[in-house]
């Protein structure tokens, strides 16, 4: 079962659970993020209204997606932005490579972009003798340490201050060891300033692309995003095709939901709205702006009315912050770019169930993610749907790799369960046999897992059925 | 507390035992029945009832869940309210049954069934408007909210209000009351290591509360948490709230 899984989830989980420092770092950080979000949305009725509005806006956008994308392309083009379509990540990478080569750029300065992570852009550039330079502080830290983000908003959240201090000291030659946060930030800033000054190409993600006006909206707190999008002569923005919204007036509620859910902020320090390259009478800004719109499996997700809800996501990361599984295993354990609840539903759809379907098992379906998701994605329902598709019970499964888990033993267990629970006699017999055996149930299989940290459930000598029958309860 | 009315004026209710109460916690089931009866309610207990179907539903075996759900809908077909001593099973039947039969000719029956589902404590607090007379000795308890009572049924307030009526019981809230205990049905088996880490944290939280009893409204959570407490040889009792309420008010 799951033998074709592309990563060793069990061993990743094991490693993470046994890493006391990681567990502590995650718990502290998640507590802070959860508390900040709670504080920024003090009125629960208002929050519910806002979530409903956010959901409606994104739903409407998905409904008209092809039309909105065309409109976005037309508006951007009219504004002087070059629009590129990439069916998969390889195409997207090659588009960027071609732009860099044309401008004889050896490096690209990057603002934080999860789509560029999805493309594994840095690795791709490196293979072509070029460099992707992360300029977001968190991304900068983990790039120094040759790691990938462990969270979609706060990529180095798995590290504490001391660990960051050690990384700076070790990886940036000539840097004295310091745990002073201001000092560390100043070091990063100094290092990055030079890279900004030299860079010919800058790259950013997109939080919302507005079809009506052809505007690319980008939020950030460090100003590095603004540097990447204004200092180099060329700016390349990359986005997943679900990032388009219809109108400028759709943005304020979404922005409020995004920043409130992500970092507990009313507004971010920077909001960049990019609508064209530098105009003739302007003194700064990029001379060339490109927009790369990536599909990478999104249009097939769009085709299914239930699974489509995955694309409502505005990548706020709050489902990670509230997830009892994520807080214990951290982002790297998931073995893919998108961790946590959103990763559990998105990754298996992008990579196929065979490779990543196992992610859907890592949920107790507690519902904490669905409760906080600012655009009301019913994440637990979608996890259940992927579990169902994994066994492909009745119809042809929608997701690639459907039925990969289908196996005789498990199917028989559930068929037996079904039979016992629809036939009263069998049901009663089962309970009686178990009751008679009391605590002598063999501790094998599931019971062995269970009893490694818990005592076995004690089956009662007399079931409630029997007790109520004995006293002659009415059953009409 | 917002008053609710029973869908049927006859003062009869169906009692849905849940499979765990039936087999493992029948005392909690009897306590629930006694609590309802003490309020003048007549209990109807269809013997052909079984499980709500959630284990299969959550594991991806939707067909099997549907067959078992269909069985319950048939067994509980008269217009009486269906009282359920588990927020999780209640959530399954209230919110997921209509989904299971959406677009089929059974949808109307599933919706009617769902509309009659009440969590036990919701029924006691809002329909019966019970007033509890605490006859027990002073004690300190803590409460674990099951995820589905909390997020699907939204009924935790009723359970806590009932505890609040007990004059000699001090309720100490857990630091992370709304965090899952790690049960999650087959999750506890399929992701045993994560589940174990979750229940360990829950038990630590309970220990820190200083309570001598852990109360819960869901036997899945209870089996998990009390099982872990017993495994760690902790002298803290895990109890279904129905049993606790009945003991306290009945002077046992
Ligand atoms: S699924 Fe919802 S909560 Fe999670 S990142 Fe996306 S928008 Fe945020």
């Amino acid at each position: 079962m799951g033998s074709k899984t592309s990563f060793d989830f069990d061993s990743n989980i094991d490693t993470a659970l046994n890493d006391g420092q990681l567990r502590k770092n995650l718990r502290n950080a998640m507590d802070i993020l959860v508390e900040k979000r709670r504080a920024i949305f003090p009125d629960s009725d208002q929050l519910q209204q806002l979530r409903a509005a956010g959901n409606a806006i994104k739903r409407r956008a998905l409904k008209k997606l092809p039309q909105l994308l065309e409109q976005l392309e037309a508006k951007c083009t009219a504004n002087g932005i070059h629009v590129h379509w990439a069916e998969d990540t390889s195409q997207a990478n090659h588009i960027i490579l071609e732009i860099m080569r044309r401008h004889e750029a050896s490096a690209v300065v990057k603002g934080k972009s999860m789509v560029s992570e999805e493309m594994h852009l840095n690795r791709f550039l490196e293979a072509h003798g070029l460099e992707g330079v992360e300029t977001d502080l968190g991304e900068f830290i983990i790039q120094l340490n040759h790691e990938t983000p462990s969270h979609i908003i706060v990529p180095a959240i798995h590290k504490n201050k001391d660990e960051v201090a050690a990384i700076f000291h070790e990886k940036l030659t000539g840097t004295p060891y310091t745990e002073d946060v201001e000092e560390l930030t100043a070091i990063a800033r100094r290092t990055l300033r030079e890279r900004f000054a030299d860079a010919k190409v800058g790259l950013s993600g997109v939080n919302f692309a507005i079809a009506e006006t052809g505007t690319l909206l980008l939020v950030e707190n460090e100003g590095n995003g603004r540097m990447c999008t204004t200092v180099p002569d060329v700016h390349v923005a990359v986005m997943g095709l679900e990032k388009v919204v219809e109108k400028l007036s759709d943005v304020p509620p979404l922005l409020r939901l995004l920043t409130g859910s992500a970092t507990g902020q009313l507004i971010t320090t920077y909001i960049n709205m990019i609508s064209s390259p530098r105009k003739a009478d302007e003194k700064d800004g990029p001379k060339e702006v490109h927009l790369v719109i990536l599909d990478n499996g999104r249009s097939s997700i769009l085709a299914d009315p239930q699974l489509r809800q995955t694309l409502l996501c505005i990548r706020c990361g709050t489902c990670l912050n509230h997830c009892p599984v994520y807080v214990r295993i951290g982002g790297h354990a998931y073995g893919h770019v998108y961790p946590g609840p959103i990763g559990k539903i998105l990754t298996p759809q992008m990579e196929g169930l065979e490779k990543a379907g196992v992610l859907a098992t890592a949920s107790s379906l507690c519902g904490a993610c669905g409760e906080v998701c600012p655009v009301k994605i019913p994440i637990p329902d979608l996890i259940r749907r992927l579990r169902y598709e994994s066994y492909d019970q009745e119809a042809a499964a929608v997701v690639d790799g459907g039925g990969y888990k289908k196996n005789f033993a498990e199917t028989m267990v559930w068929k037996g369960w079904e039979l016992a629970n629809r036939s009263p006699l069998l049901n009663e017999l089962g309970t009686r046999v178990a009751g008679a055996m009391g605590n002598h149930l063999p501790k094998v299989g599931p019971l062995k897992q269970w009893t490694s940290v818990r005592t076995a459930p004690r089956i009662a000598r007399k079931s409630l059925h029997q007790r109520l029958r004995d006293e002659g309860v009415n059953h009409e | 507390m917002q008053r609710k009315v029973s869908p049927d004026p006859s003062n009869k209710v169906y009692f849905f035992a849940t499979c765990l109460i039936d087999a493992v916690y029948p005392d909690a089931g009897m306590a629930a029945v006694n609590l309802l009866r003490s309020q003048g309610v007549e209990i109807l207990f269809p013997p052909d009832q079984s499980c709500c179907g959630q284990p299969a539903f959550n594991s991806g075996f939707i067909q099997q869940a549907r067959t078992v759900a269909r069985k319950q809908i048939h067994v509980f077909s008269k217009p009486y309210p269906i009282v359920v001593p588990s927020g999780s099973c209640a959530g399954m039947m209230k919110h997921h049954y209509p989904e299971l039969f959406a677009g089929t000719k059974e949808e109307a029956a599933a919706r009617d069934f769902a509309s009659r589902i009440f969590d036990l404590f919701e029924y006691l607090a809002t329909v019966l408007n019970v007033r509890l007379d605490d006859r027990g000795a002073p004690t300190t308890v803590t409460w674990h909210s099951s995820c589905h009572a909390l997020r699907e049924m939204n009924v935790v307030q009723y359970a806590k209000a009932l505890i609040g009526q007990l004059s000699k019981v001090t309720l100490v809230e857990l630091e992370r009351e709304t965090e899952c205990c790690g049960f999650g049905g087959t999750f506890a088996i399929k992701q045993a290591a994560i589940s174990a880490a979750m229940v360990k944290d829950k038990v630590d939280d309970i220990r820190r509360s200083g309570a001598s009893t852990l109360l819960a409204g869901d036997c899945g959570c209870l089996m998990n948490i009390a099982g872990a407490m017993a495994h760690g040889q902790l002298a803290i009792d895990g109890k279904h709230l129905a049993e606790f309420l009945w003991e306290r008010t009945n002077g046992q």
Side-chain angles (χ1 to χ4, degrees), chain B:
Chain B
M1 187 129 313
Q2 195 202 329
R3 291 297 305 270
K4 292 183 183 170
V5 270
S6 166
D8 183 81
S10 68
N11 222 15
K12 290 181 186 171
V13 307
Y14 275 134
F15 189 71
F16 180 81
T18 79
C19 56
L20 276 182
I21 284 210
D22 190 45
V24 185
Y25 294 96
D27 288 343
M30 278 314 295
V33 164
N34 288 336
L35 277 169
L36 290 163
R37 281 177 175 161
S38 71
Q39 301 298 313
V41 170
E42 185 184 345
I43 299 286
L44 302 175
F45 190 83
D48 288 1
Q49 60 175 286
S50 56
C51 168
C52 69
Q54 190 173 194
F57 182 65
N58 283 353
S59 302
F61 288 79
I62 294 184
Q63 264 190 348
Q64 284 74 9
R66 198 177 285 124
T67 317
V68 170
R70 181 177 295 124
K71 176 82 191 172
Q72 312 314 316
I73 294 172
H74 284 189
V75 167
F76 293 88
S77 57
K78 292 183 186 164
Y80 307 120
I82 305 162
V83 177
V84 186
S86 154
S88 197
C89 308
M92 173 72 195
M93 300 196 286
K94 195 175 182 74
H95 297 290
H96 298 300
Y97 275 25
E99 256 169 58
L100 273 175
F101 296 99
T104 71
K105 59 182 191 315
E106 295 161 285
E107 184 175 349
R111 288 198 178 279
D112 168 69
F113 176 92
S115 73
R116 289 182 283 123
I117 295 290
F118 286 85
D119 167 79
L120 170 68
F121 307 117
E122 174 190 22
Y123 200 81
L124 288 169
T126 65
V127 179
L128 299 175
N129 198 23
V130 295
R131 288 289 158 254
L132 300 172
D133 180 18
D134 189 1
R135 300 192 205 160
T139 186
T140 301
V141 301
T142 188
W143 161 261
H144 166 72
S145 293
S146 95
C147 296
H148 298 159
L150 185 71
R151 302 194 178 95
E152 283 189 347
M153 289 297 288
N154 195 14
V155 292
V156 167
Q157 49 179 319
Y158 307 124
K160 290 174 88 175
L162 292 173
I163 301 173
Q165 284 191 28
L166 299 170
S167 55
K168 277 169 277 177
V169 172
T170 310
L171 172 66
V172 185
E173 289 183 347
L174 294 180
E175 207 178 302
R176 299 183 191 276
E177 183 185 311
T178 58
E179 189 173 85
C180 177
C181 70
F183 177 61
T186 50
F187 168 76
I189 307 300
K190 296 202 174 185
Q191 288 296 349
I194 304 174
S195 172
M198 288 165 74
V199 75
K200 179 180 180 301
D201 290 347
K202 185 59 76 181
V203 169
D204 287 345
D205 197 354
I206 294 165
R207 190 173 11 169
R208 279 194 304 273
S209 77
S212 54
T213 309
L214 164 80
L215 298 174
D218 263 284
C219 287
C221 312
L222 209 53
M223 201 165 79
N224 182 38
I225 303 171
M229 292 195 301
H231 193 267
Q233 286 165 1
L234 238 66
I236 302 174
D237 223 12
K239 202 166 258 183
H240 193 286
L241 177 59
E243 209 176 334
F244 186 73
L245 292 179
W246 180 244
E247 283 172 11
R248 302 285 305 185
T249 54
N250 202 39
Q252 282 180 9

Side-chain angles (χ1 to χ4, degrees), chain A residues 32-99:
Chain A
I32 292 170
L33 288 166
V34 164
E35 175 50 30
K36 279 190 168 173
R37 172 190 175 273
R38 201 197 53 72
I40 207 76
F41 294 124
D43 183 324
S44 103
D45 289 346
Q46 265 178 25
L47 174 60
Q48 296 320 326
Q49 280 171 20
L50 197 57
R51 290 174 74 222
N55 175 272
I57 291 168
K58 286 289 294 185
R59 261 177 198 283
R60 167 161 48 79
L62 289 184
K63 214 174 194 170
K64 305 184 184 176
L65 197 72
Q67 176 201 328
L68 293 186
L69 285 168
E70 265 175 45
Q71 193 186 355
L72 178 71
E73 179 180 29
K75 279 284 168 191
C76 284
T77 310
N79 293 348
I81 297 175
H82 303 274
V83 178
H84 310 259
W85 299 92
E87 209 168 295
D88 54 29
T89 58
S90 160
Q91 277 185 17
N93 282 328
H94 279 98
I95 290 166
I96 292 168
L97 178 66
E98 193 274 322
I99 295 170

